[in-house]
Amino acid sequence: MRACWLLLIGVVAIAGSTSCQKRPVGYAEARTVVNRRCIECHSEKPANRAFPIAPQGVMLDTALQMKQYARRIEATAAVERTMPLANMSGMTDEERSILGRWVETGAKVP
């Protein structure tokens, strides 16, 4: 019986130490993900030939544009996972998490 309690206490301690405390994400880290996975389409001058103009007019070239579209980035990349379109740029789960945490922590820009 004592072993069961010790096991339970250990599980609770581990769960408590890794609770929903998520590492904050700064602009530079979010910018890196956007540059790697989003900017080829969502730019004033998209590099992706499939999009001669930025889809839905969403351009992410500047820090202020990223801030302007922060909630949309969170919704489409981190929550709904509909962007990038068909995940053509290969965004990873970790990159989605980075963008989501950047928005959750205030989408701060320099």
Side-chain angles (χ1 to χ4, degrees):
M1 182 71 158
R2 182 173 180 198
C4 290
W5 279 107
L6 291 175
L7 179 61
L8 180 60
I9 290 169
V11 168
V12 170
I14 290 169
S17 69
T18 60
S19 65
C20 295
Q21 301 279 340
K22 293 181 180 177
R23 179 182 61 79
V25 171
Y27 169 76
E29 193 173 0
R31 174 91 255 168
T32 298
V33 174
V34 167
N35 286 349
R36 186 180 305 130
R37 307 297 185 194
C38 311
I39 205 76
E40 74 178 75
C41 299
H42 291 285
S43 176
E44 183 178 353
K45 296 178 182 175
N48 187 318
R49 289 189 284 161
F51 298 100
I53 60 170
Q56 296 186 6
V58 175
M59 291 178 272
L60 303 173
D61 298 299
T62 69
L64 291 178
Q65 287 170 326
M66 276 182 60
K67 177 124 181 118
Q68 175 186 355
Y69 291 110
R71 288 291 173 192
R72 207 159 164 183
I73 291 168
E74 178 186 39
T76 59
V79 177
E80 298 165 359
R81 303 168 60 89
T82 55
M83 283 284 126
L85 184 63
N87 201 19
M88 69 169 90
S89 65
M91 185 179 286
T92 66
D93 290 341
E94 176 60 22
E95 290 168 326
R96 292 176 191 285
S97 179
I98 287 168
L99 292 177
R101 288 194 325 265
W102 174 68
V103 177
E104 287 172 7
T105 57
K108 295 180 179 92
V109 297

